[in-house]
Amino acid sequence: MEISPLQKERLQYQPKLPGMLRGGIANISVQEGEETQSVADQEKIKSLFPLTYGKREITFVKGQNTAPAKKQVVGVILSGGQAPGGHNVICGLYDALKAANKDNVLLGFKGGPSGLTDDKFVELDDAFINAYRNTGGFDIIGSGRTKIETPEQFAAAEATAKRHGLTAVVIIGGDDSNTNAAVLAEYFAAHKSGVQVIGCPKTIDGDLKNDDIECSFGFDTATKTYSELIGNIERDANSAKKYWHFIKVMGRSASHVALECALETQPNICLIGEEVAAKKMSLSQIADQIADSVVARSKTEGNFGVVIVPEGIVEFVPEFGTLISEINELLAGEKTAEFNALPTWEDKKAYIKKGLTEASWNVFDILPENIQQQLFLERDPHGNVQVSLIESEKLFSQMVAKKLEERRAKGEYNGKFSAQHHFFGYEGRCAFPSNFDADYCYSLGYNACMLIQYGYTGYLSKISNLSKPADQWVAGGMPITKMMNMERRNGEDKPVIRKALVDLDGKPFQYFAAHRAKWAVETDYLYPGAIQYYGPSDVCDLTTRTLALEKGE
Ligand code: FBP
């Protein structure tokens, strides 16, 4: 297969490991720390995870490896959305397994968790692995969003494990997938199947983080990719001075991606969903905030600007949330068919008006018609509105246009407003991992092997001190149950890893809040440029602004 010159070079890149993992497998010793407890709902979580709850924190140190010599047959799964660096987790895991014992085996289960239940696998060897080093994507074995949750699925996973003599499974995934890893670990422990389960923290959304996990992998590369593009658009906007660009960025619920891109590019406006919710802002207030910037800039800088909109924004707008749940109620069960059978959009609107409260109808009524219709397009298997399909970048630009015409009529605005729309999501999920993600991911995989060797289960591979150079990184493990609490999901209380939303008191948001008034009016754009893989370390190994600010740097 033909490969690009950059890919050829990247295949040769040797990822950096934390200092304590650099002396070879024989020289990695373990230190156990404090016993742990879950972040909340301790009694409940303990009762649900009697065998894996409360285990100790783990740190690896330089020293004599005392792990029992045992042949390992490990299965690895990529779960959920792609994130740059996933291949390197597998490469790090493979290299450590082979360094420990060349007879160790690594099986890649294909297409996500269903690969384990359906026993679809490939045995990974040097030739296979070498073609994927430091590359983006999850195509090495594919990914999927199947959740292992029914008794039949657990039994099928156990049968696969028995068939191959698996000693461990490594699940590379986000909060839901690692919640699943904890449940699977407990299941295997209860069935005395001898299979350990280790998780690795993945998601470009950056919402799998807490006191122990400083960031999920992929966030660094994805936000750098989006920021490069946003910077390029800013420069184009500042050159032509004729467009307002509305840019939606991925991040299903939390706004970490939008915030990081704003810190890297200093746009005129960046909406943060968590702030919208905290201040209970309405759609109209948000549109006014953007219109204020448009009006002010039209008088000084010109009729151009850049607005970043997080993908999950509308869910954070309280009145919109209420509208969506009323629509979900209104069309529950058979009522969807009744609604779909109505011949015209006008008939449908009349049906909706009858079924909504007055407050929600008023919100619905001010939406542009294309957005109104998007609310009734595709629905998920539970019959809910798929909020991520709503083109919120267009929603806000259309609302702003309306606001500006009102202001023009009052003599408050005399500019020209022309909008361009963009959505940056998939283009960032499979980029060549930045040096940071390449190093971090390789270390996560290598470290997962150490956790397996030392017999741990229900742990998340943990690499910390990430804002420092890699030789100062700290390798270890954290029981997944420590990160869990009880939450209501689909009408039931479920144990889940707590999702990290943007902390409005945290330093990244505070920095943004302290500067945004100036950015809204002036042209203070920052142009980060493309990810650099070769060159000075202060460019190539740079971490995110979010991580640096969180660490007080
Ligand atoms: P994960 O949480 O599985 O990492 O996926 C995150 C994400 O990339 C979101 O940013 C986005 O909303 C979603 O996946 C898109 O999912 P899909 O690939 O199924 O369209």
Side-chain angles (χ1 to χ4, degrees):
M1 195 175 76
E2 199 184 352
I3 60 172
S4 69
L6 180 65
Q7 181 164 343
K8 217 175 268 171
E9 276 306 317
R10 290 310 280 170
L11 294 180
Q12 307 306 322
Y13 176 75
Q14 185 52 52
K16 302 185 269 296
L17 281 170
M20 70 270 290
L21 299 183
R22 288 185 187 180
I25 300 278
N27 298 306
I28 301 172
S29 176
V30 71
Q31 245 173 27
E32 293 209 336
E34 300 286 308
E35 284 182 354
T36 57
Q37 48 175 330
S38 58
V39 278
D41 310 308
Q42 288 85 7
E43 285 314 310
K44 187 73 196 161
I45 305 281
K46 188 174 176 181
S47 71
L48 292 168
F49 296 88
L51 301 169
T52 52
Y53 184 85
K55 301 289 179 205
R56 292 175 186 276
E57 299 176 8
I58 299 302
T59 309
F60 291 112
V61 291
K62 278 189 182 144
Q64 174 79 38
N65 187 331
T66 55
K70 172 181 166 190
K71 181 184 163 188
Q72 303 287 355
V73 181
V74 176
V76 64
I77 296 168
L78 289 162
S79 182
Q82 283 70 250
H87 288 167
N88 266 26
V89 180
I90 297 179
C91 294
L93 175 63
Y94 178 84
D95 287 352
L97 279 167
K98 291 293 179 184
N101 177 350
K102 64 175 180 22
D103 294 329
N104 284 344
V105 173
L106 181 60
L107 303 182
F109 286 99
K110 293 181 176 177
S114 63
L116 183 65
T117 51
D118 302 348
D119 199 7
K120 300 246 165 62
F121 72 98
V122 56
E123 182 170 341
L124 302 172
D125 60 17
D126 286 356
F128 201 105
I129 284 282
N130 287 343
Y132 289 95
R133 291 184 186 274
N134 309 301
T135 55
F138 278 7
D139 44 320
I140 185 170
I141 49 173
S143 186
R145 291 197 184 275
T146 310
K147 213 169 174 177
I148 300 178
E149 51 188 352
T150 65
E152 294 74 24
Q153 285 172 309
F154 281 108
E158 194 179 17
T160 302
K162 267 204 186 119
R163 206 169 298 126
H164 296 291
L166 289 188
T167 53
V169 175
V170 174
I171 297 181
I172 303 170
D175 52 342
D176 281 342
S177 310
N178 279 299
T179 294
N180 225 214
V183 177
L184 197 59
E186 183 69 27
Y187 178 90
F188 283 146
H191 284 72
K192 299 193 174 25
S193 57
V195 186
Q196 299 160 238
V197 182
I198 301 295
C200 289
K202 169 234 75 167
T203 176
I204 63 152
D205 291 3
D207 53 10
L208 172 49
K209 65 174 173 181
N210 46 49
D211 291 347
D212 296 296
I213 302 304
E214 294 177 5
C215 72
S216 54
F217 78 75
F219 179 70
D220 185 88
T221 309
T223 53
K224 283 186 166 86
T225 305
Y226 305 144
S227 297
E228 179 211 348
L229 299 175
I230 295 168
N232 295 350
I233 285 175
E234 288 178 338
R235 204 144 210 170
D236 193 282
N238 196 18
S239 305
K241 301 195 193 296
K242 61 176 182 181
Y243 292 127
W244 271 83
H245 292 268
F246 285 73
I247 305 171
K248 182 167 78 171
V249 291
M250 253 189 189
R252 195 196 307 265
S253 34
S255 307
H256 299 290
V257 172
L259 179 56
E260 172 62 23
C261 292
L263 295 170
E264 286 191 41
T265 62
Q266 303 184 176
N268 304 105
I269 299 283
C270 174
L271 305 177
I272 300 295
E274 291 81 344
E275 183 184 32
V276 165
K279 292 186 173 164
K280 299 192 171 43
M281 289 174 81
S282 64
L283 290 173
S284 169
Q285 282 171 319
I286 299 170
D288 266 324
Q289 184 194 332
I290 303 171
D292 287 346
S293 170
V294 176
V295 172
R297 288 177 58 77
S298 72
K299 294 176 185 154
T300 52
E301 306 288 299
N303 295 305
F304 69 98
V306 171
V307 180
I308 300 180
V309 179
E311 184 183 21
I313 187 77
V314 286
E315 271 184 292
F316 285 98
V317 181
E319 58 182 11
F320 207 86
T322 312
L323 168 65
I324 286 173
S325 41
E326 285 188 26
I327 291 176
N328 287 341
E329 267 319 297
L330 183 64
L331 298 190
E334 284 158 16
K335 285 184 276 174
T336 301
E338 190 179 302
F339 175 80
N340 287 341
L342 294 170
T344 67
W345 175 240
E346 284 317 309
D347 295 328
K348 288 181 172 155
K349 261 177 103 170
Y351 183 96
I352 297 161
K353 187 169 186 181
K354 227 166 75 199
L356 294 181
T357 58
E358 197 186 334
S360 285
W361 170 255
N362 289 339
V363 176
F364 184 81
D365 201 32
I366 59 162
L367 298 175
E369 188 167 303
N370 55 335
I371 304 290
Q372 288 179 335
Q373 289 179 346
Q374 280 167 19
L375 291 172
F376 296 91
L377 278 176
E378 283 183 60
R379 312 171 72 73
D380 74 8
H382 306 283
N384 296 326
V385 172
Q386 293 208 54
V387 183
S388 63
L389 296 181
I390 296 170
E391 292 174 309
S392 43
E393 70 283 23
K394 291 192 182 152
L395 164 65
F396 287 115
S397 86
Q398 286 169 306
M399 291 187 77
V400 168
K402 215 166 147 197
K403 295 266 177 202
L404 292 171
E405 285 320 305
E406 287 163 16
R407 294 186 192 200
R408 191 191 300 284
K410 288 192 225 150
E412 295 166 4
Y413 173 65
N414 181 25
K416 223 172 142 250
F417 179 73
S418 186
Q420 295 284 346
H421 305 103
H422 316 262
F423 172 40
F424 296 152
Y426 299 97
E427 42 279 83
R429 298 203 310 186
C430 287
F432 279 97
S434 60
N435 284 354
F436 173 86
D437 271 328
D439 298 346
Y440 181 38
C441 290
Y442 188 83
S443 302
L444 285 169
Y446 200 95
N447 188 57
C449 173
M450 298 317 303
L451 289 166
I452 293 167
Q453 262 217 321
Y454 275 102
Y456 295 105
T457 190
Y459 275 68
L460 208 56
S461 178
K462 170 181 166 181
I463 305 290
S464 51
N465 213 24
L466 292 173
S467 61
K468 297 278 186 282
D471 61 340
Q472 294 171 44
W473 289 358
V474 178
M478 189 54 61
I480 300 175
T481 51
K482 183 181 176 204
M483 301 158 194
M484 296 176 97
N485 65 173
M486 299 299 294
E487 285 177 23
R488 200 101 187 128
R489 296 280 169 95
N490 295 329
E492 274 181 78
D493 288 334
K494 291 266 185 198
V496 292
I497 294 179
R498 187 184 270 176
K499 207 184 255 309
L501 298 180
V502 168
D503 175 7
L504 301 180
D505 295 322
K507 288 185 183 146
F509 180 79
Q510 287 297 319
Y511 182 93
F512 166 69
H515 292 82
R516 65 177 157 184
K518 189 165 174 282
W519 298 350
V521 180
E522 296 176 12
T523 302
D524 271 345
Y525 301 149
L526 262 187
Y527 310 118
I531 295 177
Q532 300 297 306
Y533 300 94
Y534 302 98
S537 177
D538 57 355
V539 178
C540 298
D541 298 330
L542 203 63
T543 55
T544 57
R545 295 280 294 133
T546 302
L547 190 59
L549 287 163
E550 280 171 350
K551 295 288 162 192
E553 287 165 15

